[in-house]
Amino acid sequence: MNATAAASAAPSAAASTVLAVNNIEVIYDHVILVLKGVSLTVPEGGIVALLGANGAGKSTTLKAISNLLAAERGDVTKGSIEFRGTRVDKLTANELVRMGVCQVMEGRHCFQHLTVEENLLTGAFTRKQSRGELAAALESVYHYFPRLKQRRASQSGYTSGGEQQMTAIGRALMARPTMILLDEPSMGLAPQIVEEIFGIVQDLNRKERVSFLLAEQNTMVALRFAHYGYILENGRVVMDGEASDLSTNEDVKEFYLGLSTAGRKSFRDVKHYRRRKRWLA
Amino acid sequence: MAFFIETLIGGLLSGVMYALVALGFVLIYKASGVFNFAQGALVFFAAATFVGLLETGLPFWLAIVATLAAMVVVGLATERFVLRPLVNQPQITLFMVTIGLTFFLEGLTQMIWGSQPRALDIGIEDVPVEWLIERFNISVSRFDVFAASVALVLFAVLAVFFQKTRIGRALRAVADDHQAAMSIGIPLQQIWGIVWAAAGFVALVAGIMWGARNGVQFALTFTALKALPVLILGGFESIPGAILGGLIIGAIEKLAEVYVGPMFGGGIESWVAYIVALMFLLVRPEGLFGEKHIDRV
Ligand SMILES: Nc1ncnc2c1ncn2[C@@H]1O[C@H](COP(=O)(O)OP(=O)(O)OP(=O)(O)O)[C@@H](O)[C@H]1O
Ligand SMILES: [Mg+2]
């Protein structure tokens, strides 16, 4: 698949598209315009990275998709969101989880006073299943996260940041999603743990065919594991492309990886670059 | 010594009754952060409805089931029509709303069942347990023992419900982090509805016990005020705290009345609990079992 084909979002037409976000606008508190027309697609079995600096609107995009905005007085005022060809922007979070889309929120949000295993079990809330099926689901999560099995009886609030991130992902898996919206899994974690977690994400993607939309500030790592990437700036997509192309792109290197072949540029150049990028996008 | 123990046991047993009311508060506060001032009015409503139904000639168990159904309806309706439209509003707004709800429920109860006090006889007499008198020379009311046992069974049922069931786990999850709960598909409104219904159930048990002890009358709504010191002591978010707080307040009230009361010319039972609560507030504002915030990044 080449970059332009994936970028020109053809909603529901392409059979392999799991998620299509078409030109959405998000407003908080009726006045704060945060997303100014964001479009992106996630193909079946893809890992798509949503990159950008603090406050670019990554989390807002994910919450718009998972319908968690209402609780923060946010509202999708324009555009549409389709999951497997069905409009989902008016559903509740509960209905969306039942359809197979689950969000792992930024900052993990484990249930602190519940044990690790209880956290996982709450993830299965929307599924009506027998005790046997539930136990099997737990085992399969423990298969991917052996550390969680060791800590299963610990209160989640007392486990490490990495373990909490694993708990949060495992909890989402218990809902048997086909698509996971993963918000900043690397936040505040040591590099080895980040590697470990991304490795598991890749595993889940390959073996369980879970598609991922991944919001990350850690551009370098995200582009290594993702197939495709979108760069968000100030509520707009300013660039998108194959992950391998993005990670070799000079602008991306300059702004998001802090690398540059031509040495450090002046702030004026940076501004010029940014402007040019907007126009190009 | 026998007298001290007798007083202590009497206090603990009445403390269980306080805990019963405090529990209703804790359930709703834990799950939705609303301090439900109307819990006392719910107790009154439950007791009056139960007696009223008994008077119409309904058999005991049928009356219980019918009242329970009424409590669940009131609980669900409160969540649906009063609190849901106000979601995301400041806590003080929600608190004011529950005060409004208190007056509404009080008025409704008196409109349906009249305002005259009525006796409620559940067939357990308020006489000392003979066995304890013969054996230890301690006089403990049979009714108190019965009421405490019922409360303990209720506590046990709730504990199992919270710890072992899918819904119970979801309730604790919502109490911990309602955003995360939503993100994995737990419907908050459904959970709040269940919590209100559960609080209604607890109010029914409290209403029957208090009503049978003191008569079914308007004063039952003031049981809410009795629960306040218990909550301060036990913490607003802790079920074990509500139980332990109830026991402590009950014991202190009775012991203080008997041993300290004479110094003040008696009658301190009605306010000593508040003094204790105030002193406690200065030392441990989060209560005995107020949820520890786990700070760790
Ligand atoms: N509930 C809210 N009310 C008002 N403004 C908000 C709200 N949530 C986010 N914003 C604003 O929306 C913008 C985008 O926020 P968002 O959290 O989506 O950014 P982000 O890309 O996820 O950033 P980060 O990398 O820091 O997580 C920010 O300017 C933020 O201040
Ligand atoms: Mg974010």
Side-chain angles (χ1 to χ4, degrees), chain B residues 123-227:
Chain B
I124 311 287
E125 279 174 274
D126 194 1
V127 295
V129 183
E130 280 166 31
W131 174 82
L132 278 174
I133 293 192
E134 283 164 16
R135 195 82 206 281
F136 300 105
N137 196 22
I138 296 174
S139 151
V140 174
S141 154
R142 243 172 76 180
F143 179 84
D144 285 352
V145 172
F146 172 75
S149 314
V150 169
L152 290 177
V153 169
L154 179 71
F155 296 150
V157 167
L158 282 176
V160 171
F161 171 67
F162 270 101
Q163 295 300 325
K164 300 290 176 210
T165 67
R166 168 172 161 273
I167 299 280
R169 254 195 319 266
L171 281 168
R172 284 188 295 142
V174 169
D176 245 16
D177 188 332
H178 66 266
Q179 264 194 318
M182 274 169 73
S183 81
I184 51 171
I186 296 176
L188 294 192
Q189 274 128 5
Q190 191 185 324
I191 295 294
W192 288 336
I194 292 172
V195 168
W196 275 86
F201 173 56
V202 172
L204 170 62
V205 176
I208 293 177
M209 294 305 153
W210 280 91
R213 188 151 214 357
N214 300 344
V216 174
Q217 52 190 323
F218 186 76
L220 276 181
T221 63
F222 301 130
T223 53
L225 298 180
K226 277 281 182 202

Side-chain angles (χ1 to χ4, degrees), chain A residues 50-70:
Chain A
L50 192 56
L51 307 166
N54 279 115
K58 305 181 295 292
S59 301
T60 304
T61 308
L62 295 198
K63 285 184 206 151
I65 298 166
S66 58
N67 289 311
L68 291 177
L69 275 183

Side-chain angles (χ1 to χ4, degrees), chain A residues 72 94 109 112-113 125, chain B residues 166 172 176-177 179 185 292:
Chain A
E72 295 189 35
N94 168 266
H109 283 266
Q112 307 258 308
H113 297 93
F125 182 85
Chain B
R166 168 172 161 273
R172 284 188 295 142
D176 245 16
D177 188 332
Q179 264 194 318
K292 256 193 292 179

Side-chain angles (χ1 to χ4, degrees), chain A residues 28-29 32-35 51-63 69 72-74 106 183-184 187 215-217 232 234-235:
Chain A
Y28 281 113
D29 283 321
I32 309 168
L33 176 64
V34 170
L35 295 190
L51 307 166
N54 279 115
K58 305 181 295 292
S59 301
T60 304
T61 308
L62 295 198
K63 285 184 206 151
L69 275 183
E72 295 189 35
R73 304 165 65 79
E106 181 179 319
D183 201 349
E184 304 234 11
M187 193 163 101
E216 258 302 340
Q217 282 195 44
L232 213 58
N234 253 320

Side-chain angles (χ1 to χ4, degrees), chain B residues 211-255:
Chain B
R213 188 151 214 357
N214 300 344
V216 174
Q217 52 190 323
F218 186 76
L220 276 181
T221 63
F222 301 130
T223 53
L225 298 180
K226 277 281 182 202
L228 221 51
V230 174
L231 291 169
I232 291 172
L233 213 65
F236 282 81
E237 302 190 1
S238 166
I239 291 175
I243 298 170
L244 199 64
L247 292 176
I248 294 174
I249 292 288
I252 288 179
E253 265 187 7
K254 285 283 188 307
L255 290 175

Side-chain angles (χ1 to χ4, degrees), chain A residues 34-36 38 51-58 230-239 255-256 270 273-275 277-278:
Chain A
V34 170
L35 295 190
K36 304 154 187 170
V38 168
L51 307 166
N54 279 115
K58 305 181 295 292
Y230 291 84
I231 296 181
L232 213 58
E233 220 179 80
N234 253 320
R236 285 195 178 88
V237 175
V238 290
M239 194 186 293
F255 296 117
Y256 299 101
V270 171
Y273 257 60
R274 290 197 165 212
R275 224 174 282 130
K277 251 172 26 197
R278 289 234 181 88

